[in-house]
Amino acid sequence: MTEVRFYDKVEDSLLRFAVIIARSGDKWVFCKHRERNTYEVPGGHREPGEDIDDTARRELYEETGALRYTLQPICVYSVTAPDNFDGQESFGMLYYAQIEEFEPELHSEIEKIILTAELPECWTYPEIQPKLLAELERRKNIKFC
């Protein structure tokens, strides 16, 4: 069973991921990876020596083509799952972005992005991503549907 927890902060060295819940206008931004038939919010692994905020900016650009945006850290999240990191708790930073301008083409493993008022039905990480959205909704009073 996958467990997701939320924290205000943890030791910076523990943060392995940045995940960005993004909007453009009044629509939510979701990504579809080339090798999957599911949707996800932008995000990914932190590179060695990279500041976690830089990870968020890099991943947001790589996965959505976002050029102009505001980015706000929300909280730390953790995931504990038997099939992930040998069942050890792994940590990431959750962000919220409002995207104003996109590049016309994507240059990554992402096949396409969708802008939608509705949440997708087919999640890449169904035990994790809806909980991240719910936490953003709880902390920032942002409604999803």
Side-chain angles (χ1 to χ4, degrees):
M1 173 181 228
T2 299
E3 186 173 356
V4 180
R5 293 187 184 113
F6 298 96
Y7 304 90
D8 290 329
K9 63 190 317 191
V10 296
E11 175 70 35
D12 179 75
S13 64
L14 295 174
L15 297 171
R16 294 182 176 197
F17 305 94
V19 172
I20 308 97
I21 299 172
R23 285 181 73 99
S24 182
D26 62 350
K27 306 280 183 169
W28 298 103
V29 180
F30 294 97
C31 306
K32 182 191 171 296
H33 192 282
R34 292 182 200 280
E35 298 174 1
R36 300 183 193 114
N37 293 318
T38 54
Y39 290 92
E40 56 199 72
V41 295
H45 293 83
R46 184 182 196 178
E47 299 293 333
E50 188 176 44
D51 181 83
I52 195 65
D53 291 343
D54 292 337
T55 303
R57 286 188 281 275
R58 177 179 53 77
E59 290 290 347
L60 187 62
Y61 171 73
E62 288 177 0
E63 296 196 353
T64 69
L67 295 173
R68 286 189 313 119
Y69 54 86
T70 57
L71 184 68
Q72 175 183 15
I74 300 301
C75 65
V76 172
Y77 71 93
S78 75
V79 175
T80 307
D83 61 345
N84 196 24
F85 296 104
D86 295 323
Q88 298 297 310
E89 187 175 27
S90 63
F91 295 88
M93 180 65 78
L94 178 63
Y95 292 85
Y96 173 69
Q98 183 68 44
I99 302 172
E100 298 170 30
E101 181 183 359
F102 294 93
E103 245 186 1
E105 285 186 33
L106 296 173
H107 308 281
S108 72
E109 71 278 3
I110 299 302
E111 178 182 310
K112 67 179 179 177
I113 60 168
I114 60 168
L115 305 178
T116 179
E118 306 284 323
L119 297 179
E121 290 184 21
C122 296
W123 293 97
T124 303
Y125 307 102
E127 295 179 333
I128 301 169
Q129 294 172 134
K131 292 176 182 173
L132 299 179
L133 273 71
E135 186 66 11
L136 174 67
E137 185 175 45
R138 187 184 77 75
R139 287 180 181 249
K140 300 305 282 182
N141 198 29
I142 296 172
K143 301 296 179 199
F144 286 95
C145 293

